[in-house]
Amino acid sequence: MRTRLMMLGPPGAGKGTQSHRLSEVFGLPQISTGDMLRAARKAGTPLGLAAATAMDSGKFVPDEVVVGIVKERLTLPDVQHGFILDGFPRTVVQAEALAEAGVVLDAVINIVVADEELVERITGRCTCPGCGSAFHTRYHPPTTEGVCDDCGTELVVRPDDTAEVFIGRLADYWAKTSPLVAFYTQRGIVHTVDGIGGLEAVQERIRVIVEGRDSSPLTV
Ligand code: AMP
């Protein structure tokens, strides 16, 4: 059975962290458009450089750009048993493009966290540019301050994780991304998960849903 998942939720809800963990639990590739764009930027590709300004100011990269990179990624052989989409689709236009490309999703995990909690969480978040692991100075500190537990790389604070930029990202989520809840609810594949609690507790809630879900999804 294929497991084609999408993680939905506001910035800071834990999509990246949970996708990373579930990718290991289920042996499925995590397809994060944010990570792909950051890698393209680090490599200095024209795509990465074009996306840089939008990313630093917390704005969305144009739909056609992200749709292009995801379609290309989904042609790689490692998606044969499924995948975990993390941060894509982020607009209804992207979701329609995915469906038009013939990509069927089995489940959309909608991680719900209140806005006030998100703003609190985002200050203190740091990520590993080496392996993608995420830490938080209060909720999930690395063993050695500033250093990734998993690969030893120095942790960084993303430029789009400042409070000011974050408030704008949250507004964009409500205006442009949250309509996807209705879009996928119509297709009968949305599962709402409480994103409050420890990483393990939230992971367990998602694992139970993914393992127990109906194996005959509606087509997107
Ligand atoms: P993320 O790591 O998912 O928070 O993404 C970081 C940044 O990459 C976002 O703030 C956007 O600038 C850009 N980005 C990632 N995914 C998308 C997407 N699906 N659509 C538009 N922009 C995106």
Side-chain angles (χ1 to χ4, degrees):
M1 185 174 76
R2 289 216 279 174
T3 308
R4 293 155 296 191
L5 305 177
M6 176 211 166
M7 305 297 272
L8 181 60
K15 299 186 298 294
T17 306
Q18 292 299 338
S19 300
H20 189 66
R21 289 169 157 246
L22 291 165
S23 148
E24 284 168 11
V25 171
F26 293 119
L28 297 171
Q30 171 189 5
I31 301 184
S32 158
T33 40
D35 285 352
M36 287 192 280
L37 289 167
R38 279 184 286 275
R41 180 179 179 175
K42 202 169 163 192
T45 66
L47 165 84
L49 297 176
T53 316
M55 292 176 76
D56 282 352
S57 54
K59 302 263 182 296
F60 284 2
V61 171
D63 287 331
E64 61 277 15
V65 174
V66 273
V67 167
I69 61 171
V70 172
K71 275 192 186 169
E72 196 177 317
R73 177 66 183 81
L74 291 175
T75 63
L76 298 186
D78 66 343
V79 303
Q80 61 177 328
H81 298 300
F83 48 77
I84 303 172
L85 287 181
D86 165 18
F88 179 92
R90 243 177 171 97
T91 63
V92 171
V93 170
Q94 293 176 15
E96 284 168 345
L98 192 65
E100 274 160 28
V103 179
V104 175
L105 298 180
D106 301 301
V108 170
I109 307 296
N110 181 29
I111 307 180
V112 177
V113 177
D115 285 4
E116 306 74 53
E117 166 77 15
L118 294 170
V119 176
E120 167 79 8
R121 274 186 187 187
I122 212 73
T123 48
R125 183 158 90 160
C126 43
T127 47
C128 174
C131 70
S133 289
F135 298 88
H136 194 285
T137 48
R138 290 186 299 282
Y139 306 124
H140 177 46
T143 312
T144 308
E145 195 184 326
V147 179
C148 178
D149 283 356
D150 299 326
C151 73
T153 304
E154 198 174 324
L155 299 172
V156 296
V157 175
R158 286 170 36 175
D160 54 347
D161 273 352
T162 63
E164 193 191 5
V165 172
F166 185 73
I167 303 278
R169 295 176 67 204
L170 207 48
D172 267 353
Y173 168 78
W174 285 112
K176 300 175 188 167
T177 308
S178 70
L180 290 177
V181 177
F183 182 92
Y184 287 117
T185 296
Q186 279 172 4
R187 286 152 181 79
I189 55 170
V190 173
H191 301 266
T192 298
V193 171
D194 179 2
I196 301 290
L199 298 179
E200 272 81 19
V202 178
Q203 179 184 332
E204 186 56 15
R205 287 173 205 149
I206 301 174
R207 191 192 62 75
V208 166
I209 290 169
V210 174
E211 290 190 344
R213 87 198 136 78
D214 184 352
S215 59
S216 53
L218 297 175
T219 310
V220 214

